[in-house]
């Protein structure tokens, strides 16, 4: 398997950012770590090995990126608005720096054929993947979110500003009427999954809220609830990601 490590300076974050790329060709997939995790967590938790049959066959190429949780959603020092403004800088890094590179590399690696991105993550990574997918659907065509929350309540409680609102899908999607966005969602593949075991209560609640919202907006989605023995943990996410990615390729 081709694996490459990258460390690049971000003009939006004014710091170096790290990521790894797995594979030589195939569907581009961007993955986020869980809370306070790093770019190497996906590999360390077995997910790259789980998906290796697709990667080695040239069907899937994965970019595993870093986040700024310690400066944004999980900062113990900054106020809510400072946290979310720092996240807005991270949004610009992802959308204006990392993703253009992914799309360019993917096109080169696939014989000049451009593809949209499959975006995914587990737990906090599921929040990131869903938030980026719904806010910027022009570069994504598949979302696989495992055991996520889909509002900012978990991070900011009842605090709400315009910027927080734009990062809280469960708040802005009910008011969204723009056909550009709605049609983009309807033409994409949306997969949400949560277990029903330990530490999944908040994720189950917000997954059900998002399921109801998507149904009311006539946005097709696959929403799955795995069994009561399915905990909020990597062994289950490994099983889920293999199942869902295999069905998308």
């Amino acid at each position: 398997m081709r694996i490459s490590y990258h460390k690049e300076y971000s003009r939006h974050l004014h710091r170096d950012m790290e990521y790894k790329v797995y594979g030589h060709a195939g569907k581009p997939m961007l993955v986020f770590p869980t809370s306070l995790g790093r770019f190497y967590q996906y590999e360390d938790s077995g997910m790259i090995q789980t998906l290796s049959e697709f990667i080695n066959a040239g069907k899937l190429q994965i970019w595993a990126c870093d986040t700024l949780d310690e400066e944004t959603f999980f900062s113990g020092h900054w106020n809510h608005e400072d946290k979310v403004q720092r996240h807005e800088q991270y949004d610009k890094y992802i959308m204006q720096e990392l993703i253009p590179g992914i799309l360019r590399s993917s096109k080169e690696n696939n014989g000049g054929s451009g593809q949209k991105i499959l975006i995914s993550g587990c737990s906090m990574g599921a929040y990131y993947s869903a938030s980026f997918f719904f806010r910027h659907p022009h570069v994504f065509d598949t979302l696989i979110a495992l055991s996520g929350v889909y509002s900012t309540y978990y991070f900011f409680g009842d605090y709400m500003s315009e910027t927080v609102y734009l990062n809280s899908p469960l708040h802005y999607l009910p008011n969204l009427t723009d056909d550009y966005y709605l049609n983009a969602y309807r033409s994409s593949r949306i997969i949400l999954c949560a277990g029903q075991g330990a530490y999944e209560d908040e994720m189950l609640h917000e997954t059900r809220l998002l399921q109801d919202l998507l149904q009311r907006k006539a946005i097709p989605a696959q929403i799955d609830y795995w069994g009561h023995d399915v905990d909020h943990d990597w062994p289950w996410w490994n099983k889920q990601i293999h199942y869902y990615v295999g069905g998308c390729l």
Side-chain angles (χ1 to χ4, degrees):
M1 180 189 301
R2 181 191 298 174
I3 302 175
S4 58
Y5 163 78
H6 304 263
K7 185 175 183 178
E8 299 170 351
Y9 183 79
S10 166
R11 68 182 185 275
H12 289 101
L13 298 175
H14 306 293
R15 55 169 284 181
D16 290 330
M17 294 296 288
E18 298 171 273
Y19 63 93
K20 291 184 80 171
V21 184
Y22 305 86
H24 60 280
K27 180 72 174 176
M29 178 178 179
L30 173 62
V31 297
F32 296 85
T34 64
S35 55
L36 300 170
R38 296 296 310 280
F39 67 96
Y40 46 77
Q41 183 195 53
Y42 211 70
E43 178 180 357
D44 289 354
S45 300
M47 301 289 267
I48 297 300
Q49 179 60 37
T50 292
L51 297 172
S52 61
E53 65 179 280
F54 308 122
I55 299 171
N56 291 332
K59 296 180 179 180
L60 184 70
Q61 190 172 22
I62 296 178
W63 279 255
C65 68
D66 252 342
T67 60
L68 293 181
D69 285 346
E70 72 283 357
E71 300 177 28
T72 57
F73 296 107
F74 293 94
S75 169
H77 306 289
W78 294 5
N79 63 41
H80 288 336
E81 199 58 31
D82 287 341
K83 292 178 186 179
V84 77
Q85 290 300 332
R86 184 59 168 161
H87 174 70
E88 284 296 287
Q89 295 173 336
Y90 177 72
D91 180 281
K92 290 182 173 63
Y93 159 71
I94 292 292
M95 296 306 305
Q96 298 180 27
E97 297 181 58
L98 184 61
I99 282 180
I102 293 174
L103 294 173
R104 182 172 57 253
S105 295
S106 176
K107 188 173 183 178
E108 292 172 356
N109 295 336
N110 289 285
S113 175
Q115 300 185 63
K116 289 188 176 182
I117 296 169
L118 186 166
I119 190 167
S120 185
C122 311
S123 191
M124 185 65 186
Y127 162 78
Y128 278 117
S129 61
S131 182
F132 278 103
F133 172 85
F134 286 115
R135 191 171 176 183
H136 306 287
H138 60 288
V139 295
F140 308 111
D141 63 5
T142 307
L143 166 66
I144 303 177
L146 307 177
S147 298
V149 295
Y150 305 107
S151 77
T152 54
Y153 181 82
Y154 184 81
F155 317 113
F156 299 138
D158 292 325
Y159 177 80
M160 186 59 63
S161 67
E162 181 179 358
T163 312
V164 172
Y165 177 85
L166 291 174
N167 288 283
S168 190
L170 284 177
H171 283 96
Y172 68 73
L173 285 175
N175 303 315
L176 184 64
T177 58
D178 190 324
D179 283 337
Y180 170 82
Y181 286 89
L182 295 174
N183 289 334
Y185 305 153
R186 289 168 183 150
S187 64
S188 298
R189 185 160 190 175
I190 299 172
I191 299 171
L192 309 175
C193 176
Q196 300 179 71
Y199 309 109
E200 286 280 78
D201 290 348
E202 290 174 319
M203 295 71 189
L204 275 169
H205 174 65
E206 296 217 343
T207 299
R208 289 176 177 134
L209 290 176
L210 186 52
Q211 177 181 16
D212 179 67
L213 174 55
L214 295 175
Q215 288 175 342
R216 286 188 280 113
K217 292 284 186 180
I219 299 170
Q222 179 179 348
I223 318 291
D224 290 343
Y225 301 99
W226 288 36
H228 292 278
D229 60 337
V230 179
D231 300 334
H232 192 84
D233 203 358
W234 287 104
W236 286 107
W237 296 330
N238 269 269
K239 295 177 182 178
Q240 292 164 356
I241 198 64
H242 186 273
Y243 174 74
Y244 292 120
V245 169
C248 291
L249 298 179

